[in-house]
Amino acid sequence: FLYDERIYSYLENLISNAIEYSTTSGEVSITVQIIEHMLRISIEDKGIGLSVKSTIERLAKVVFNFS
């Protein structure tokens, strides 16, 4: 149950950031796929984006927090 709350919180944050930082005429696209026994969720926007270094640091923090 705790993981459900964390996943919901991360998704909510990603979606709200995509909406907030997307350009005024931009779109936010959310794609959900089932691949084998996993769920893949993609959130895409037309905002300014993050540097590769920043993205890696953020992902490492998320993975560390789940373990």
Side-chain angles (χ1 to χ4, degrees):
F1 182 71
L2 179 60
Y3 288 128
D4 293 344
E5 290 177 11
R6 285 186 184 176
I7 290 170
Y8 176 80
S9 177
Y10 288 127
L11 287 174
E12 182 179 42
N13 183 265
L14 287 170
I15 293 168
S16 63
N17 282 346
I19 293 167
E20 182 176 349
Y21 293 107
S22 191
T23 60
T24 55
S25 61
E27 294 181 3
V28 174
S29 173
I30 302 170
T31 306
V32 179
Q33 298 172 299
I34 298 174
I35 302 171
E36 295 181 13
H37 298 341
M38 295 183 289
L39 189 64
R40 179 181 183 173
I41 301 171
S42 301
I43 302 165
E44 183 179 351
D45 64 64
K46 304 298 181 190
I48 59 174
L50 297 170
S51 68
V52 173
K53 181 180 178 186
S54 177
T55 303
I56 290 171
E57 289 171 352
R58 287 173 183 235
L59 287 174
K61 186 175 180 179
V62 169
V63 170
F64 179 75
N65 286 337
F66 269 112
S67 51

